[in-house]
Amino acid sequence: VTLVPESMPGAPAISAAGGPASAVGAAAAAPARWPWWASGAVLFAVALAGVLVWIVAKNSGAERFGAVPPRTVNGAAFQLTHGGGHPSGTSFILESAQDGLVSLSAEIPPLAAEKYPRIEWDLRSVDPPNELAFAWRTRENPRRTYSKPLFWLSGRIVPLRLDANDGWRGTITGVALVARGNMQAPLEVRSLNLPSATAGATLAETFAQWGAHFPLKGYAITFPFDAERAHFMPVAKAFAIACGLALVVYLGLAYVRRRPIDWRVPWAIFAAAWIVLDLRWQVDLGREVAAAAERFGGKTSEEKALAADDAVLVALAQELRRALPPPPARVLVLSDNGLISLRVAHFLYPYNVSRNRSARDEEREKGRAPAPNRATLRSGDHLVLLFYSGFRYDADKGQLIWPGGDTLAAEVVVAKPDALLVRIK
Amino acid sequence: MRDAIALALSIAVPWIAGTLCVRAATGGSPQPAAIAIGYGYLTGLFGVTLVMRALSLAGQRWSVVWIAAPIMLLALAAWFRLRPLGAARSPMRALGALATLTGAARAIFALLVLLTCVRLLMLGVEVVLVPLVPYDAFAQWATKSRVWYEYGRMVPFVQASEWGSAAGTMYFTDSHPEYPGTVPLFQVWTALCLGRWDESLVNVPWVAACVSLGIAFYAQLRRLDFGPVKAMFGTYALLSLPFLTIHVALAGIADLFVAIAYGLAAIAMWQWAITRQGSDAGLAVVMAIVCASVKMEGSLWVLTLVPGVVTALHRRLGLAMMGAAAAAAALYLAFGPSELRLLRYTLRTRFVDVSDLVYEHLFVMDNWHLLWYAIVAVVVVHVRTLFGSRLAPMTVTMLAAVAFVGVVFFFSSASGGVRDESITNRLVMHAVPAFVFYIALILRSSQHQAKTAPLYT
């Protein structure tokens, strides 16, 4: 089947549509078996199939066409070897480090490393430890432990792809997870997954990655497709390669067969790639809208805020507002965590809110706001202290105490375990 | 229902007034009236902010009536000016060619319109449902609009360091008190129409602006003699770009308005370079003013239009100017001070290599679909014609834009923003509508587009 169109049944339509004068080519060309647009679509589909074959070949394991069942080790199957923690349901909760280290390991039924080149950890933490590593042991070299660092991406651990060069060879008999640094928050170890790496499973995984939902969270305003970094090949790149391949094939065939080029075909290839790529994005956007409708539909502005991810901060801000005099009272929101203070301040406007941080402060260090200058605080000013270590409030003396010893009389308006609202006397 | 009417009013008043004013100003020109509709929304909305600024200066508390009255008077004046011209009665003239399409072309056109409308509808639903999400929105944009709405005027925002010692309680602060007030005023206007503050609904201008971009883009492509299907494909392609649409869906920050205003200014300026019609120059100037007023970087973007204007007036002079600028940049890199403070940026002579991140965002991830591949391919294939008399002003404009992005990314303190990926796509987005139109201009002037030629000759 020749893929070079020889007649142009769509030419009148395109000419009428203001298209190029491709009728010139149409008139010059011999009768075609396929219309130009079909040639473009088929060429693109064939090229995309080629790219998929390449992706599968590169990412599948040694046994591409056999039956290789996926393996899963639940968190609860691990034994704690260092630090503190406990099993919880099917998970294991790591709570504290010992000498800056926490680890857990499990003996597993022996498996051939080359059949399972992909390792996926399912971990959850609101404040993950700085350093995480996956470690394993082989039957062939039982006295040696191999390891590979793990990285977080969009709230998940980036799947590892291991080969013999990493020490992932022979028969794997034991696996472990190691975390270094202070545990700011518990780390839930849900499972270790070793997915099947047959050709079929790899193809299915590729489509699953391309069809994955990209939630429109705050970071999406700058890098919405961060999770694509963990894909075998991001969909846009795959489509671009397929597009390029299809163009090369089309132009090559035309050159070899000494046929005129119908420039509508390259454009059809490009348009097909774009529209298919965009349909995926459109569907994803639709899923986002459906999720938003379910979560926020029919709610007032305040109810929406209470249904959002940081509802706890909204509720806190609402409680503070009820305790404050009418706007525009001056309110200083101080926290060691810049994001918490920013969100609470946002919900307090139109009060005259300050976080005592300039944009430069935020660029330089994203942590604690400096303690306010004592001289600038006035009677009637309110201070919200949220996990703040810049100065302290002595409830017995009714004083704010600066690290240098300065004091200022203040009274408590709202006292909560995690927040304090005081008013300068 | 009441909210829907209020939102419709908040969009319709500036849009109708802006459209009539643009049409009245360009009434004598043969421009399609759809251009006035496309450019009308931002023009009208910007006019609303000017009225709000004037009322604030005069000490008059804002109300819908106080703001809408002068806008409607202007619209009425424009209407009376248009009546004798008869121009107002053919607002959709640009769409007239649809009737001449064959069945297949009409089906493609309808499919593209459908895809675009479905997307815009989804974006609209997302915007009215979701509370404020972007960090910058609640750090420095919605802070101002929330306070200004409450007090009915533009109360001052000062730096955090000055806030403590400021006299009285009416000096506010946020992360960037120096940022311009135009975008917060868009939100305040919407809140005034609603009669209350709603942090989701105040963002409808983002959706309306996106629709207006689509209309203006389509109309400008049609002026280039692109047929309805091709013009619609270009419009669909622009409005399908994921990163651009995300900035509508997660509304609340100013970058989308910079992109739209800069894009519409560049397009109008290029049309002026082709037609020399004063109306195009006028539209370019208005959009350039809007661009400069919405964000600090807007002024720098406007400066990138200047080489294009010079080149349009005198091609050799423009090209020489670009060459001189390039030589000056090279000399600065070789002999200049290691750091130079310019506006909010610190320029550095040391090259910061962030090219891998830029490549990843433009070519690997789906932020821009296949746009940058297409741009590279089209530019490479047509490189010999880019500095010819037809394309030189456009090429010089885009070169200046690329140079601006390049300096910010590779030779400034903002390269940190590329490393942490906070500005990579956002800065690029500002130039994207202009880039898409530039590609259309290249294709229009291309021999390849117009002829079927054997490869082996």
Side-chain angles (χ1 to χ4, degrees):
Chain A
V1 176
T2 176
L3 295 174
V4 181
E6 292 167 350
S7 76
M8 312 294 171
I14 290 298
S15 297
S22 42
V24 176
R33 291 179 192 173
W34 291 15
W36 59 271
W37 53 269
S39 299
V42 169
L43 272 168
F44 173 69
V46 170
L48 186 60
V51 173
L52 278 167
V53 167
W54 189 79
I55 291 171
V56 168
K58 191 164 177 283
N59 292 282
S60 52
E63 198 165 322
R64 292 198 172 99
F65 300 104
V68 182
R71 299 280 188 94
T72 298
V73 185
N74 283 329
F78 282 85
Q79 302 289 321
L80 191 68
T81 51
H82 211 85
H86 63 276
S88 172
T90 58
S91 300
F92 198 102
I93 310 293
L94 291 174
E95 289 175 325
S96 58
Q98 183 185 339
D99 305 323
L101 186 76
V102 59
S103 64
L104 72 180
S105 66
E107 298 296 319
I108 58 170
L111 59 86
E114 61 179 8
K115 290 183 183 175
Y116 295 94
R118 194 169 155 87
I119 288 88
E120 297 173 351
W121 280 96
D122 188 359
L123 308 179
R124 295 286 189 280
S125 175
V126 292
D127 194 358
N130 293 335
E131 284 184 54
L132 271 176
F134 166 54
W136 66 93
R137 192 171 288 168
T138 65
R139 179 186 284 163
E140 293 76 11
N141 200 353
R143 304 185 69 167
R144 179 166 177 194
T145 301
Y146 300 89
S147 71
K148 198 80 178 168
L150 298 169
F151 299 100
W152 291 91
L153 184 69
S154 305
R156 294 181 58 197
I157 290 288
V158 180
L160 280 177
R161 184 174 166 74
L162 299 175
D163 57 26
N165 293 328
D166 300 307
W168 187 254
R169 56 177 173 257
T171 307
I172 308 297
T173 56
V175 290
L177 179 74
V178 183
R180 289 182 192 280
N182 291 328
M183 299 285 289
Q184 303 287 355
L187 175 68
E188 182 187 359
V189 181
R190 293 188 173 183
S191 62
L192 167 67
N193 302 307
L194 302 159
S196 172
T198 61
T202 307
L203 186 65
E205 174 63 19
T206 306
F207 282 120
Q209 290 174 356
W210 288 359
H213 175 47
F214 296 91
L216 296 185
K217 303 279 185 190
Y219 64 83
I221 209 75
T222 50
F223 42 89
F225 297 101
D226 203 28
E228 285 190 331
R229 289 191 163 111
H231 290 186
F232 295 145
M233 182 185 283
V235 64
K237 184 178 177 182
F239 274 47
I241 293 172
C243 210
L245 269 178
L247 289 174
V248 168
V249 168
Y250 174 71
L251 297 176
L253 281 174
Y255 182 78
V256 169
R257 295 180 177 183
R258 299 189 160 234
R259 295 267 168 79
I261 293 170
D262 182 351
W263 285 101
R264 291 174 304 175
V265 176
W267 281 112
I269 292 169
F270 179 74
W274 189 292
I275 289 172
V276 175
L277 191 56
D278 184 53
L279 282 176
R280 181 203 76 129
W281 168 238
Q282 190 112 306
V283 168
D284 197 37
L285 197 58
R287 283 187 288 197
E288 183 68 27
V289 173
E294 193 180 329
R295 194 172 188 184
F296 302 114
K299 291 188 166 74
T300 64
S301 189
E302 286 209 336
E303 289 167 346
K304 284 178 189 173
L306 285 168
D309 291 341
D310 53 2
V312 178
L313 295 180
V314 180
L316 172 65
Q318 286 182 349
E319 190 175 341
L320 296 173
R321 289 175 70 118
R322 282 194 291 272
L324 286 165
R330 297 206 322 170
V331 184
L332 260 169
V333 180
L334 301 168
S335 174
D336 290 350
N337 183 307
L339 192 59
I340 289 179
S341 64
L342 182 66
R343 285 301 277 169
V344 171
H346 166 71
F347 293 117
L348 288 180
Y349 283 102
Y351 280 96
N352 194 343
V353 188
S354 169
R355 296 182 298 122
N356 205 34
R357 294 161 65 92
S358 66
R360 276 186 81 79
D361 289 336
E362 282 172 300
E363 281 165 18
R364 277 201 297 265
E365 43 110 19
K366 297 191 172 174
R368 195 179 79 184
N373 184 344
R374 185 186 173 286
T376 61
L377 294 177
R378 305 172 195 159
S379 175
D381 284 354
H382 286 74
L383 281 79
V384 179
L385 308 179
L386 292 161
F387 309 106
Y388 186 61
S389 57
F391 55 40
R392 66 188 179 87
Y393 179 72
D394 186 327
D396 294 335
K397 294 179 182 169
Q399 285 181 331
L400 289 167
I401 304 175
W402 271 255
D406 285 347
T407 60
L408 190 63
E411 63 184 350
V412 173
V413 181
V414 173
K416 293 174 69 69
D418 48 4
L420 195 66
L421 174 65
V422 298
R423 188 171 63 85
I424 306 294
K425 284 183 179 172
Chain B
M1 188 60 188
R2 190 188 162 278
D3 283 353
I5 294 170
L7 288 177
L9 185 78
S10 75
I11 295 169
V13 167
W15 205 328
I16 292 169
T19 302
L20 288 172
C21 289
V22 170
R23 194 69 184 137
T26 62
S29 77
Q31 282 182 359
I35 286 180
I37 299 173
Y39 280 74
Y41 180 65
L42 263 195
T43 307
L45 197 58
F46 183 64
V48 164
T49 68
L50 293 182
V51 173
M52 292 172 82
R53 284 175 193 272
L55 290 172
S56 188
L57 269 177
Q60 172 60 47
R61 190 181 169 91
W62 292 326
S63 70
V64 174
V65 174
W66 269 103
I67 297 166
I71 295 291
M72 296 312 291
L73 279 176
L74 262 176
L76 209 60
W79 173 259
F80 280 113
R81 179 174 148 70
L82 276 172
R83 278 184 67 186
L85 298 173
R89 268 175 258 142
S90 58
M92 301 305 280
R93 199 166 64 197
L95 304 180
L98 285 181
T100 64
L101 293 183
T102 62
R106 202 174 292 176
I108 297 170
F109 183 86
L111 174 72
L112 295 171
V113 170
L114 180 72
L115 286 172
T116 306
C117 289
V118 168
R119 186 189 323 277
L120 290 170
L121 188 68
M122 287 197 294
L123 290 174
V125 173
E126 179 81 0
V127 164
V128 299
L129 283 176
V130 177
L132 217 53
V133 175
Y135 181 95
D136 287 10
F138 51 79
Q140 64 239 11
W141 297 108
T143 46
K144 296 180 182 71
S145 44
R146 179 71 187 92
V147 170
W148 292 349
Y149 170 72
E150 190 69 20
Y151 300 105
R153 64 189 173 92
M154 295 176 76
V155 294
F157 273 69
V158 297
Q159 295 292 343
S161 54
E162 299 165 36
W163 179 85
S165 53
T169 54
M170 294 307 281
Y171 287 86
F172 290 75
T173 188
D174 61 12
S175 292
H176 282 285
E178 75 281 9
Y179 274 17
T182 303
V183 168
L185 289 175
F186 293 166
Q187 293 175 315
V188 176
W189 160 248
T190 312
L192 285 167
C193 290
L194 275 170
R196 68 172 199 282
W197 178 261
D198 184 310
E199 72 170 28
S200 306
L201 300 184
V202 295
N203 294 323
V204 291
W206 275 255
V207 185
C210 186
V211 174
S212 74
L213 170 68
I215 295 170
F217 201 82
Y218 176 83
Q220 291 284 28
L221 283 176
R222 294 284 287 122
R223 274 182 86 193
L224 290 183
D225 293 332
F226 280 107
V229 174
K230 288 192 167 184
M232 195 58 224
F233 184 78
T235 308
Y236 155 77
L238 174 65
L239 298 186
S240 74
L241 293 170
F243 197 79
L244 193 94
T245 49
I246 284 171
H247 270 252
V248 184
L250 299 182
I253 62 175
D255 296 87
L256 182 76
F257 290 102
V258 179
I260 295 175
Y262 177 74
L264 294 186
I267 293 167
M269 189 268 278
W270 295 337
Q271 292 285 19
W272 165 79
I274 297 168
T275 65
R276 300 302 164 130
Q277 288 174 14
S279 54
D280 286 314
L283 282 179
V285 169
V286 170
M287 286 300 118
I289 292 170
V290 175
C291 182
S293 78
V294 291
K295 209 177 174 195
M296 308 287 256
E297 293 93 312
S299 312
L300 298 172
W301 279 113
V302 170
L303 286 179
T304 66
L305 298 174
V306 174
V309 175
V310 175
T311 309
L313 292 170
H314 194 290
R315 187 166 69 102
R316 287 182 188 281
L317 182 65
L319 294 177
M321 190 176 140
M322 284 302 281
L331 286 172
Y332 171 74
L333 288 179
F335 306 109
S338 60
E339 289 200 350
L340 181 67
R341 189 90 185 143
L342 192 66
L343 295 178
R344 289 176 53 238
Y345 298 107
T346 302
L347 297 183
R348 291 177 178 148
T349 49
R350 187 172 58 84
F351 176 72
V352 183
D353 188 5
V354 289
S355 51
D356 52 343
L357 283 166
V358 175
Y359 164 74
E360 204 172 17
H361 280 285
L362 300 193
F363 293 97
V364 178
M365 297 182 190
D366 196 20
N367 296 307
W368 305 104
H369 283 344
L370 304 176
L371 176 67
W372 295 100
Y373 291 99
I375 288 173
V376 170
V378 169
V379 166
V380 167
V381 168
H382 300 95
V383 70
R384 282 187 297 179
T385 63
L386 299 183
F387 293 95
S389 56
R390 296 177 118 200
L391 288 174
M394 300 76 176
T395 303
V396 164
T397 308
M398 291 329 295
L399 270 180
V402 169
F404 171 51
V405 173
V407 168
V408 171
F409 279 6
F410 298 103
F411 293 100
S412 87
S413 52
S415 56
V418 182
R419 280 211 189 286
D420 67 20
E421 303 177 83
S422 61
I423 67 162
T424 322
N425 287 303
R426 285 165 63 185
L427 193 69
V428 167
M429 183 181 74
H430 297 167
V432 160
F435 250 120
V436 177
F437 199 83
Y438 175 60
I439 294 304
L441 279 162
I442 295 175
L443 293 175
R444 188 200 64 149
S445 69
S446 155
Q447 294 299 312
H448 287 302
Q449 189 207 21
K451 290 179 183 168
T452 301
L455 184 68
Y456 51 83
T457 52

